[in-house]
Amino acid sequence: MSHDERPRILLVDDDEAITGALAAFLGRSGFDVRVAADGRAGLIEVERDVPDLIVCDVLMPHVDGREFVRRVRSRQLWLPIVLLTQVGESWERSAALDEGADDYLNKPFDPHELISRIRAVLRRTAQGVGSLRSAQRLRARDLVLDRTTRRAWLGDTELTLTPKAFTLLEFFLLHPQEVHSRDHLLATLWGFDFASSSRAVDHRIAELRRQLGDGAAEQPLIDTVQGTGYLFTAKVTAA
Amino acid sequence: MTAPAPRPAPDRAGIALGVGAIAPAALCSLTAGALLLAGDQHALAVEIALPGAVFAAGLILSAVPAAALVARRRRRRRDARDAAAHATALAAAVASATQDERENHRRFLARLDHELKNPLTAIRATAVAAQSAPETPAAAWQTIDHQTQKLSGLVRDLRKLAELETRPLERERVDVEALVAEAIEAVAQQHPAARARIGFTVTRVPWPVPQLDADLDLLSLAVDNVLGNAVKYSSSGPIEVRLREEGGWVVLDVADSGRGVPASDLPTVFDELARAQNARDVGGSGIGLTLVATILRRHGGDVSIRSVEASGTVVTLRLPAHT
């Protein structure tokens, strides 16, 4: 890979102890890293040169992470953004995703986990799936999901889903044709690794399969990947 | 806890009034009876001027409401005294609860301090040693990484607890028997050696254990924790899991014949970060039973523990059958 092909990352965080160590680590992991000390400086950096991906803290002076994401999106820039959240509350996480972040990671996090999230998000963006993020309605075969009203239909029939099952289905539709480990799905459902076992994921998968009629289907929407996790099989488009 | 109400002091004035009210009537009745029996023929004729009679009648008519008025004022004064006493008792109860709360908080901070001290000491010692060494040995970085992971785990656990207190419950129909069977299967997969030791009995006659409206994930978490403890703290001997309906409650016992909890540690066993003296050799965060207690409380139920050191432990979860 030539030097020019190194993905360019903008790291936005007000804590120098974090940006110093993380920038060096990301640099050694094959990324071209620039650092901004808060959201305002981040916006200036984005204006100057749009990176391939932004990693951004939430709690910052001047312009915080959420506001930063809103302002980047309001400039019609759809580059992927990974938010570093402070509080593990799932509503904060879903609020972050609703405001246009592509993924999130709770502090304190394992730096290797950040690298794997960055690579996954870049891969999705390269496949053009990233644009699903801005869509209000998603469609996969005859399944339609409305992200604003949090309702879903299979053909003409509306599905009755628990809030967690809906969150899981939404996550699958935003990350289709990608294998997700039970642990990652668990963190998605709860905001962090909540339960002591990933049985909670299996319960929601069972609920989704019942509602989607996957048991009798020739081509089930949700596939089990033995020993790894689950995969949403169908192609997803904005509806 | 409420203290028994103090015995009211004897009402001396009331007694005197009672005696004063009864004595003349009784005395005069006795005298009149005696005079009648003695055949006394005397008659008493009283002559009174009309203004005097009207005045006397006025006095007598006023005396009745005046007496009632006095009685009412006395009653009011007594009620006010009672209310003041009640308010004082209430204030004392609130103060005692606040003090308990402060005491809990103080104990929690002490435990948190203890949990933070060790990893931080290790990190500082490693960092200082590495600074004076010609080059940092790889083992030093591993120590620092390991200790920060420990700290991260602590932060994550405390966040879980905080989240559990406030997160809205997502209730659905839950078949408790199936939930417990799944939990047993999961713990047996994690600890294959324990599988043969776990027995599960369910009372189905005369009626089955009713289904509950509960948060499935949270209840699973609570049952997983209690079962996990039973396996962790008993290396041999049977583990009995017993599910039944009892007086409108769904009751689950998890009993083991393990090392038990020392009597001195039993009162704090549900406190966050608390770990029994004899549990230090087994890995754990000290928040498991706090999570369990919080989950049960949020479902309107409760958890209790009975334990004898070196004999075993039984943890009982109770949930209201009709929520």
Side-chain angles (χ1 to χ4, degrees):
Chain A
M1 188 186 269
S2 80
H3 184 76
D4 289 334
E5 286 171 55
R6 285 162 67 95
R8 291 162 309 142
I9 292 183
L10 175 63
L11 177 60
V12 190
D13 196 317
D14 58 322
D15 191 337
E16 275 180 38
I18 290 174
T19 52
L22 262 192
F25 181 67
L26 289 172
R28 277 201 302 283
S29 304
F31 299 100
D32 188 12
V33 187
R34 273 185 295 157
V35 172
D38 60 52
R40 203 160 58 188
L43 284 169
I44 295 169
E45 283 296 318
V46 173
E47 293 278 310
R48 201 164 63 80
D49 180 21
V50 179
D52 295 317
L53 180 142
I54 299 173
V55 176
C56 180
D57 191 22
V58 171
L59 290 181
M60 291 185 296
H62 308 308
V63 175
D64 72 11
R66 302 258 182 65
E67 183 62 27
F68 176 77
V69 173
R70 271 196 296 274
R71 292 207 199 165
V72 169
R73 295 300 185 227
S74 71
R75 281 162 214 208
Q76 303 300 312
L77 293 171
W78 302 107
L79 76 162
I81 300 177
V82 176
L83 274 185
L84 306 178
T85 60
Q86 303 268 5
V87 189
E89 307 219 324
S90 55
W91 39 87
E92 172 175 12
R93 175 187 53 84
S94 48
L97 291 182
D98 284 347
E99 280 158 17
D102 294 80
D103 208 343
Y104 66 92
L105 210 52
N106 280 311
K107 281 184 178 177
F109 52 83
D110 179 347
H112 296 100
E113 177 69 14
L114 176 61
I115 299 282
S116 68
R117 295 286 178 91
I118 289 174
R119 294 216 168 106
V121 171
L122 286 174
R123 204 165 42 236
R124 278 202 296 279
T125 313
Q127 290 162 350
V129 187
S131 59
L132 290 175
R133 157 87 22 233
S134 54
Q136 285 312 308
R137 275 188 171 223
L138 302 168
R139 173 185 290 279
R141 299 218 287 256
D142 52 354
L143 170 71
V144 174
L145 180 137
D146 190 317
R147 297 174 64 203
T148 315
T149 58
R150 300 194 74 70
R151 292 164 74 184
W153 298 265
L154 192 66
D156 295 331
T157 320
E158 181 166 1
L159 305 181
T160 319
L161 295 171
T162 59
K164 282 206 208 77
F166 185 92
T167 307
L168 188 59
L169 186 59
E170 182 184 25
F171 181 83
F172 274 134
L173 289 174
L174 289 171
H175 306 88
Q177 295 163 324
E178 206 180 307
V179 179
H180 305 289
S181 72
R182 283 187 172 80
D183 284 345
H184 188 196
L185 292 176
L186 191 62
T188 303
L189 284 182
W190 281 95
F192 51 99
D193 56 337
F194 193 84
S196 50
S197 80
S198 49
R199 228 161 50 243
V201 173
D202 298 343
H203 287 148
R204 292 313 139 195
I205 295 279
E207 180 186 343
L208 281 180
R209 282 184 167 153
R210 268 199 310 277
Q211 289 284 317
L212 296 171
D214 256 13
E218 247 175 62
Q219 289 181 303
L221 285 169
I222 301 170
D223 246 356
T224 308
V225 182
Q226 213 58 48
T228 316
Y230 297 100
L231 166 85
F232 191 81
T233 57
K235 192 171 156 28
V236 179
T237 54
Chain B
M1 268 204 305
T2 54
R7 276 167 68 96
D11 183 1
R12 285 172 206 281
I15 292 169
L17 272 178
V19 171
I22 293 168
L27 216 63
C28 290
S29 306
L30 280 174
T31 316
L35 288 174
L36 203 65
L37 284 176
D40 195 313
Q41 298 288 317
H42 288 93
L44 183 66
V46 176
E47 228 176 75
I48 186 167
L50 187 61
V54 170
F55 176 66
L59 275 186
I60 290 166
L61 284 178
S62 285
V64 176
L69 204 65
V70 168
R72 230 171 69 169
R73 286 179 74 168
R74 284 172 55 93
R75 199 167 57 232
R76 275 213 190 130
R77 225 175 290 152
R78 199 184 55 226
D79 286 354
R81 236 184 1 251
D82 287 356
H86 184 68
T88 314
L90 205 65
V94 169
S96 134
T98 312
Q99 199 171 357
D100 284 357
E101 190 67 25
R102 275 207 207 102
E103 179 57 22
N104 276 339
H105 187 60
R106 193 194 59 72
R107 284 208 307 264
F108 168 71
L109 286 180
R111 288 192 300 269
L112 184 61
D113 178 60
H114 174 82
E115 294 292 321
L116 291 174
K117 244 178 220 158
N118 284 350
L120 287 176
T121 308
I123 291 168
R124 285 215 67 188
T126 311
V128 170
Q131 278 167 35
S132 58
E135 63 183 63
T136 310
W141 293 118
Q142 274 171 15
T143 305
I144 290 179
D145 192 30
H146 183 73
Q147 295 302 321
T148 48
Q149 276 179 34
K150 231 165 133 174
L151 289 173
S152 303
L154 180 67
V155 170
R156 186 195 55 219
D157 285 344
L158 293 176
R159 195 156 61 188
K160 270 190 201 180
L161 265 181
E163 161 116 358
L164 251 192
E165 289 285 350
T166 53
R167 188 185 187 103
L169 294 183
E170 286 181 16
R171 287 182 187 268
E172 60 191 296
R173 290 310 274 173
V174 173
D175 178 342
V176 189
E177 183 179 339
L179 182 154
V180 176
E182 271 182 18
I184 291 174
E185 181 53 34
V187 82
Q189 268 180 21
Q190 276 183 310
H191 308 272
R195 183 185 290 271
R197 295 199 281 131
I198 307 176
F200 182 26
T201 51
V202 186
T203 309
R204 294 199 187 82
V205 178
W207 42 72
V209 174
Q211 296 202 331
L212 295 176
D213 262 326
D215 190 310
L216 176 63
D217 288 357
L218 293 190
L219 270 199
S220 302
L221 183 61
V223 174
D224 286 355
N225 254 292
V226 174
L227 262 177
N229 281 346
V231 171
K232 245 171 40 176
Y233 297 112
S234 72
S235 44
S236 62
I239 295 169
E240 286 187 10
V241 182
R242 304 182 287 252
L243 179 65
R244 63 188 181 278
E245 189 271 346
E246 197 177 282
W249 295 82
V250 172
V251 183
L252 178 72
D253 285 333
V254 177
D256 68 63
S257 44
R259 61 176 74 179
V261 181
S264 59
D265 290 325
L266 268 180
T268 55
V269 86
F270 292 109
D271 289 356
E272 55 277 76
L273 302 180
R275 299 212 65 205
Q277 288 290 341
N278 64 346
R280 299 274 148 82
D281 61 318
V282 181
S285 58
I287 68 151
L289 281 180
T290 318
L291 280 179
V292 173
T294 308
I295 291 169
L296 271 285
R297 178 164 46 76
R298 293 214 51 202
H299 280 88
D302 55 39
V303 55
S304 58
I305 187 168
R306 282 178 295 146
S307 187
V308 174
E309 194 172 6
S311 282
T313 303
V314 52
V315 176
T316 302
L317 310 183
R318 297 194 325 143
L319 286 159
H322 306 289
T323 42

